[in-house]
């Protein structure tokens, strides 16, 4: 049986983040192709982590800067190794190459970290985002990781365009694999609460993810005071895992601003709401909250950052706006106008069915794996930059890791 090893940055938490849901979508794709899957991670497992063993997936805790990983992967000899985000490729990529040189190496970027970090710094500086912010140190690390892998999975077409045009990354190293969804059936749509059965405005997102926290601050300080003045009966319900004190202290019932914490059932939360609001001020990748909203018939009020990569040439299931005053005007219209709301709801169903078709992208993914695997030597031969980076830059990572390992042994013996 073919074997896939996934090296996770964290253990998948589909109820906490879109990254967790996407990882399970990738796992499902491999299982449909009869791969045996081992999921490993150096991180601690939270209470929100999926029970992978119930999905017939082997779980393995691994250690950073420890040669025990070499013994583990040498024995395992996987056909494919997936690195969950570039940091895992930096840590373990050289070990995979040394112990399993013929394994296909796939990087799942999740989103383009360099883009998110650059936008975050520009926002902090209150400056316009430009190439100066994009060409940052994270970009150097992340793109080096892309070159060292055989295939890199990109969740957004916008980020593929950025990599190929701004950084001249060869397109044959990249593969567009967005969310892979089952779509929305009419029978399901007809069971959802109608316009008059819903109330209030909702947003959701893991609070460990800085763009989500800053979005809540923006709501608190700028948008919500304007919205609540025009919608005197509406409440803002904010859900998300890992709400620390800096988040919970924003809870203000008298202002109809409610921090609700972890959502056990995101579908129930979305079905009760009239609008999903996502005024992200920086970020990257695709936003799981928008997919959850569309799946539950909830129109969205979005910033351009939130909507990036979601709709392509299709009409969004709500509106996209960055100007605060126009944003507020549009959300009031969407909240009060039933015909407008129903129109946007139907557009959301269309986006789900046409943009993120599960069967189509699963086939694209498996076809690319077969194609690259069958020509792996040639694929790597003509990726000279990747070979060069593997030869030089990974040596520093390798010897730093070896040094840390020896240091840890010395400390343990004291």
């Amino acid at each position: 049986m073919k074997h896939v090893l996934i090296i996770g940055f964290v253990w998948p938490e589909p109820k906490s983040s879109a990254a967790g849901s996407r990882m399970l979508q990738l796992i499902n794709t491999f299982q449909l192709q009869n791969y045996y899957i081992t999921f490993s991670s150096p991180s601690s497992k939270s209470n929100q982590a999926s029970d992978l063993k119930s999905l017939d997936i082997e779980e393995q805790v691994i250690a950073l800067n420890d040669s025990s990983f070499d013994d583990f992967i040498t024995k395992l000899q996987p056909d494919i190794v997936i690195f969950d985000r570039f940091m895992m490729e930096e840590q373990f990529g050289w070990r995979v190459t040394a112990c399993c040189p013929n394994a296909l190496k796939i990087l799942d970027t999740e989103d383009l970290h360099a883009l998110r970090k650059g936008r975050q710094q520009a926002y902090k500086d209150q400056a316009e985002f430009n190439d100066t912010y994009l060409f940052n140190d994270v970009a150097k690390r992340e793109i080096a990781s892309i070159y060292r892998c055989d295939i890199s999975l990109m969740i957004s077409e916008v980020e593929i365009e950025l990599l190929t045009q701004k950084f001249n990354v060869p397109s044959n190293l990249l593969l567009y694999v967005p969310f892979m969804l089952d779509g929305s059936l009419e029978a399901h749509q007809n069971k959802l609460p109608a316009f008059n059965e819903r109330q209030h405005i909702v947003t959701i997102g893991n609070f460990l993810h800085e763009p989500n926290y800053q979005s809540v601050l923006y709501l608190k300080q700028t948008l919500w005071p304007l919205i609540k003045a025009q919608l005197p009966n509406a409440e803002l319900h904010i859900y998300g895992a890992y709400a620390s004190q800096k988040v919970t202290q924003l809870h203000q019932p008298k202002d109809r601003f409610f921090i609700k914490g972890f959502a056990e059932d995101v579908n129930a939360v979305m079905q009760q709401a009239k609008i999903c609001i996502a005024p992200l001020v920086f970020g990257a990748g695709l936003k799981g909250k928008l997919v959850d909203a569309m799946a539950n018939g909830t129109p969205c009020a979005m910033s351009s950052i939130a909507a990036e990569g979601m709709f392509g040439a299709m009409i969004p299931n709500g509106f996209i706006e960055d100007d605060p005053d126009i944003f507020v005007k549009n959300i009031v219209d969407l909240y009060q106008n039933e015909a407008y709301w129903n129109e946007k709801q139907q557009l959301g169903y269309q986006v789900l069915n046409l943009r993120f078709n599960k069967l189509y992208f699963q086939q694209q993914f498996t076809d690319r794996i077969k194609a690259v695997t069958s020509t792996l030597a040639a694929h790597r031969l003509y990726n000279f930059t990747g070979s060069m980076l593997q030869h030089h830059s990974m040596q520093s990572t390798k010897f730093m890791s070896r040094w840390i390992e020896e240091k840890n042994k010395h400390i343990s013996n004291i």
Side-chain angles (χ1 to χ4, degrees):
M1 181 179 285
K2 296 172 291 185
H3 199 151
V4 175
L5 170 66
I6 301 173
I7 303 177
F9 181 67
V10 295
W11 296 91
E13 297 183 20
K15 290 185 177 181
S16 300
S17 70
S21 297
R22 172 176 168 77
M23 179 54 70
L24 290 187
Q25 292 165 14
L26 294 176
I27 286 172
N28 176 250
T29 300
F30 281 108
Q31 287 184 321
L32 290 173
Q33 297 297 314
N34 296 316
Y35 278 87
Y36 184 77
I37 300 172
T38 299
F39 192 99
S40 62
S41 178
S43 70
S44 300
K45 187 182 294 186
S46 76
N47 293 332
Q48 305 303 329
S50 288
D51 181 9
L52 297 179
K53 290 181 180 177
S54 68
L55 302 175
D56 293 325
I57 297 168
E58 180 184 348
E59 297 181 358
Q60 178 68 46
V61 176
I62 54 178
L64 298 172
N65 305 307
D66 196 303
S67 58
S68 61
F69 178 84
D70 301 349
D71 299 331
F72 159 67
I73 196 171
T74 298
K75 182 178 179 180
L76 198 69
Q77 285 298 310
D79 301 281
I80 298 174
V81 177
I82 298 179
F83 304 101
D84 173 28
R85 283 162 269 205
F86 78 91
M87 298 83 79
M88 291 298 94
E89 190 278 334
E90 284 185 327
Q91 285 287 338
F92 296 100
W94 65 272
R95 294 183 184 273
V96 172
T97 297
C99 300
C100 304
N102 296 321
L104 186 73
K105 296 189 295 183
I106 298 177
L107 172 64
D108 183 25
T109 59
E110 295 291 355
D111 62 27
L112 202 57
H113 291 63
L115 177 60
R116 173 159 44 87
K117 292 293 185 182
R119 284 173 169 167
Q120 182 173 349
Q121 188 61 50
Y123 179 74
K124 181 180 179 181
D125 294 343
Q126 297 184 322
E128 182 178 353
F129 176 74
N130 55 34
D131 288 352
T132 302
Y133 286 102
L134 178 61
F135 299 157
N136 53 52
D137 287 343
V138 173
K140 296 168 187 174
R141 293 171 55 196
E142 189 168 25
I143 292 170
S145 182
I146 288 172
Y147 270 108
R148 288 191 297 264
C149 289
D150 302 307
I151 304 171
S152 289
L153 308 182
M154 307 300 302
I155 203 166
S156 169
E157 296 156 313
V158 173
E159 294 176 6
I160 289 179
E161 182 178 352
L162 186 150
L163 285 173
T164 55
Q165 295 190 6
K166 292 286 188 178
F167 294 99
N168 297 315
V169 174
S171 59
N172 71 317
L173 297 181
L174 310 175
L175 178 63
Y176 176 52
V177 182
F179 295 133
M180 295 179 283
L181 308 174
D182 289 320
S184 178
L185 300 177
E186 187 174 353
H188 166 73
Q189 298 166 18
N190 293 335
K191 294 178 181 179
L192 294 173
F195 176 83
N196 291 324
E197 299 173 297
R198 298 170 180 245
Q199 58 181 347
H200 307 317
I201 299 170
V202 69
T203 190
I204 190 166
N206 186 327
F207 289 114
L208 293 179
H209 194 53
E210 188 65 18
N212 290 329
Y213 173 67
Q214 292 297 330
S215 173
V216 172
L217 283 184
Y218 180 55
L219 276 166
K220 175 79 172 177
Q221 298 167 359
T222 303
L223 292 179
W224 187 244
L226 301 173
I227 295 170
K228 73 171 184 173
Q230 298 194 48
L231 297 175
N233 296 318
E235 299 174 357
L236 179 61
H237 295 174
I238 300 167
Y239 290 86
Y242 305 106
S244 63
Q245 184 180 357
K246 73 175 184 178
V247 176
T248 57
Q249 70 183 3
L250 301 175
H251 180 73
Q252 291 291 340
K254 66 181 179 62
D255 291 329
R256 293 173 274 133
F257 192 95
F258 295 91
I259 304 296
K260 295 284 190 174
F262 179 72
E264 185 65 38
D265 186 348
V266 67
N267 295 314
V269 166
M270 285 294 178
Q271 289 173 23
Q272 294 165 6
K274 190 164 282 187
I275 296 174
C276 172
I277 187 170
L280 295 172
V281 290
F282 60 85
L286 299 183
K287 314 305 179 292
K289 59 178 70 67
L290 303 185
V291 168
D292 291 331
M294 287 187 281
N296 290 287
T298 310
C300 296
M302 302 160 279
S303 65
S304 58
I305 294 291
E308 183 180 80
M310 288 295 302
F311 302 102
M314 300 187 71
I315 302 172
N317 71 318
F319 66 85
I320 303 168
E321 183 56 60
D322 294 319
D323 181 273
D325 293 326
I326 300 176
F327 191 102
V328 171
K329 177 183 180 301
N330 288 346
I331 203 170
V332 171
D333 289 344
L334 187 58
Y335 196 88
Q336 295 178 332
N337 188 326
E338 183 174 359
Y340 179 42
W341 188 92
N342 285 330
E343 175 190 336
K344 292 302 183 181
Q345 182 187 63
Q346 293 300 316
L347 289 170
Y349 298 144
Q350 293 176 25
V351 171
L352 279 185
N353 290 331
L354 298 177
R355 283 281 290 168
F356 306 111
N357 184 278
K358 178 180 178 178
L359 295 178
Y360 175 79
F361 287 108
Q362 284 181 334
Q363 190 63 53
Q364 292 285 100
F365 185 25
T366 54
D367 286 349
R368 176 64 74 86
I369 288 174
K370 291 176 182 176
V372 175
T373 301
S374 65
T375 59
L376 188 57
H379 181 81
R380 290 176 174 174
L381 176 65
Y382 291 104
N383 178 17
F384 184 77
T385 301
S387 300
M388 181 173 62
L389 289 168
Q390 187 77 43
H391 178 71
H392 289 288
S393 65
M394 292 308 289
Q395 296 303 310
S396 60
T397 306
K398 173 181 175 179
F399 287 110
M400 174 60 75
S401 182
R402 295 293 195 202
W403 180 83
I404 293 173
E405 182 177 2
E406 290 302 316
K407 178 173 175 287
N408 290 338
K409 288 179 182 178
H410 176 70
I411 292 174
S412 66
N413 290 329
I414 294 177

